[in-house]
Amino acid sequence: MAMVDVTVRGAGIFGLSVAWACVLRGASVRVVDPAGPAAGASGGIVGALAPHVPENWNAKKAFQLDSLLSAEAFWGEVAATGGVAPGYIRSGRLQPVADEAALALARQREATAAALWQGRAQWEVIRAEEDAWAPASPTGWLIRDTLSALVHPRHGCNALVAALAAKGVEIISEGPDQGKVLWATGVAGLEALNTNHPRLVGAGIKGQAALLQLDRGGAAQLFADGVHVIPHLDGTVAVGGTTEREYDSPDSTDAQLDAVIAKARAAVPALQDAPVIERWAGLRPRSRSRAPMLGAWPGRPGQSIANGGFKIGFGMAPKVAEVMADLLLEGRDAIPEGFRVGDNL
């Protein structure tokens, strides 16, 4: 087996994205995952790439903004190299405005978004119009942002696998550690870290989602009554999800998903008769700090961690890939405070 510069353990969105960034810089990379690509949370169905609200700015929000703004180029190059479409589109998002207080706050955020988003995306308050796709709004107003995007998680991972294969990268079930080693093993990785530390490093948080048969590809994603409604380009609409810290089974769906589907149908008239074609449940890796956990593994020379994507892993992936490639290949630490492994240990 040929020697490699970087061994990536984990073929979810973080592992595949970092592998891709390293390959683009000329490194020889191997990806190892006993379960295969997108076997965990990255094999889900939602894929909302939605920004934090434009206020109380911090390193996490700035990092996410950079990642969302670079996503179109990231996924475009992946698709062009491997010939597989990731289902990415930056089509924006609509949210209903609940009351007069929420309307005033939304108008304040118009101004802060203009400054914080560098003029490259908008957050604006618009009149709701009669449209079967737009969510019902008690005030008659909607928030529209042009920064939100979506990607189909499974298609995105498949596109990365194809792009890596086109560059000669192996994704294997077993293999030795060679070169620098990146651990991007999701929930299993957090559990392994927990066993060696006196406090909780992170945990798997269960989420449930459903896929409906309805072609609204190219329309804006929606967020209403706590539910994401994601119109994928393949003629399906994903709705989700739940956040469950306690559960009996990590991969089974139940009445909590029924409630999510009912909320989505109530908020969006176009979903009323759309049949449910898949119900999904799985664990998403959440670090103790709630931010992605990135950087060198303390006490393990040559080994690093990229974990804790939780609900924002796909949105953070382009920037995570960049900073981890900086660290692995150049020894340059561009990881912002609050994202470091040590912040969770």
Side-chain angles (χ1 to χ4, degrees), residues 226-309:
V227 176
H228 293 278
V229 179
I230 310 299
H232 286 305
L233 296 176
D234 65 354
T236 64
V237 174
V239 299
T242 65
T243 300
E244 304 168 46
R245 291 169 176 80
E246 297 182 1
Y247 46 84
D248 295 324
S249 170
D251 57 1
S252 63
T253 63
D254 55 32
Q256 293 182 77
L257 180 55
D258 295 334
V260 168
I261 296 169
K263 282 185 176 183
R265 293 194 195 279
V268 184
L271 296 178
Q272 289 294 332
D273 299 319
V276 176
I277 58 174
E278 182 180 348
R279 296 165 66 93
W280 179 90
L283 299 182
R284 296 148 313 165
R286 178 190 180 277
S287 71
R288 186 174 60 82
S289 69
R290 298 189 66 179
M293 185 167 58
L294 311 174
W297 192 332
R300 293 197 180 189
Q303 300 194 32
S304 300
I305 293 170
N307 208 323

Side-chain angles (χ1 to χ4, degrees), residues 6-10 13-19 22 63 177 179-197 201-203 285-289 291-310 316-317 319-329 332-336 338-345:
V6 177
T7 300
V8 175
R9 292 200 168 272
I13 184 58
F14 276 4
L16 294 172
S17 297
V18 175
C22 289
F63 188 97
D177 289 339
K180 299 292 181 65
V181 180
L182 175 72
W183 293 84
T185 48
V187 173
L190 293 179
E191 291 174 346
L193 288 167
N194 287 336
T195 62
N196 296 312
H197 292 87
V201 176
R286 178 190 180 277
S287 71
R288 186 174 60 82
S289 69
M293 185 167 58
L294 311 174
W297 192 332
R300 293 197 180 189
Q303 300 194 32
S304 300
I305 293 170
N307 208 323
F310 193 32
M316 291 287 205
K319 189 67 174 178
V320 166
E322 177 186 323
V323 300
M324 291 309 297
D326 287 342
L327 184 66
L328 292 167
L329 302 180
R332 181 159 59 91
D333 187 345
I335 300 167
F339 284 55
R340 301 180 188 281
V341 172
D343 295 333
N344 294 274
L345 300 182

Side-chain angles (χ1 to χ4, degrees), residues 1 14 54-55 59 96 105 172 180 209 213 219 268 292 298-299 311:
M1 189 174 287
F14 276 4
E55 64 185 15
L105 181 58
I172 58 177
K180 299 292 181 65
Q213 189 71 62
V268 184
K311 298 179 181 181

